[in-house]
Amino acid sequence: QVHVVESGGGLVQAGGSLRLSCAASGSIFSISAGGWHRQAPGKQRELVATITSGGGANYADSVKGRFTISRDNAKNTLYLQMNNLKPEDTAVYYCNCNVRSSSSRYSVLYWGQGTQVTVSS
């Protein structure tokens, strides 16, 4: 069984920073790609950033230059460093990881439960 848990959300003033973490635990053989999504009230979930197994990153236009996705393979953890936060970044942030468990030849996409980020003006 694999579990994915986000942490690091909170309340911050506009212009501030937060660092989100996404830790995968359980019988993990490897994690390939992963990413962060967010969902604001009344809006659809949107992609924020993705990272490949080799560390290649892609970002939504709205966060380019402000957010940085990274990973620590030894800790099975993804990160999202968010700088110069804006009120429109307020949302629940979800991570996902493509995980191959120790008992399987296949990878499964796991989602975390989400962490709230609120940016005040």
Side-chain angles (χ1 to χ4, degrees):
Q1 187 70 12
V2 174
H3 298 280
V4 175
V5 178
E6 301 100 334
S7 60
L11 173 64
V12 65
Q13 287 188 332
S17 298
L18 284 174
R19 188 194 194 203
L20 305 183
S21 298
C22 170
S25 62
S27 300
I28 297 171
F29 178 78
S30 64
I31 298 176
S32 54
W36 290 91
H37 294 67
R38 66 186 181 187
Q39 187 166 18
K43 296 187 177 182
Q44 289 189 333
R45 190 173 296 191
E46 63 174 355
L47 178 66
V48 175
T50 61
I51 189 166
T52 67
S53 57
N58 282 290
Y59 300 92
D61 288 342
S62 59
V63 306
K64 280 181 182 177
R66 300 187 299 122
F67 290 11
T68 302
I69 189 172
S70 62
R71 61 190 293 163
D72 184 332
N73 292 331
K75 296 181 179 180
N76 292 327
T77 300
L78 301 182
Y79 302 98
L80 186 68
Q81 177 67 44
M82 305 185 294
N83 298 327
N84 190 22
L85 282 160
K86 304 176 180 181
E88 51 264 41
D89 294 318
T90 295
V92 178
Y93 283 71
Y94 300 89
C95 77
N96 64 26
C97 301
N98 212 24
V99 179
R100 179 182 167 187
S101 71
S102 301
S103 60
S104 175
R105 296 182 297 166
Y106 307 102
S107 294
V108 176
L109 188 65
Y110 289 91
W111 287 84
Q113 82 291 347
T115 185
Q116 176 70 46
V117 171
T118 303
V119 185
S120 63
S121 57

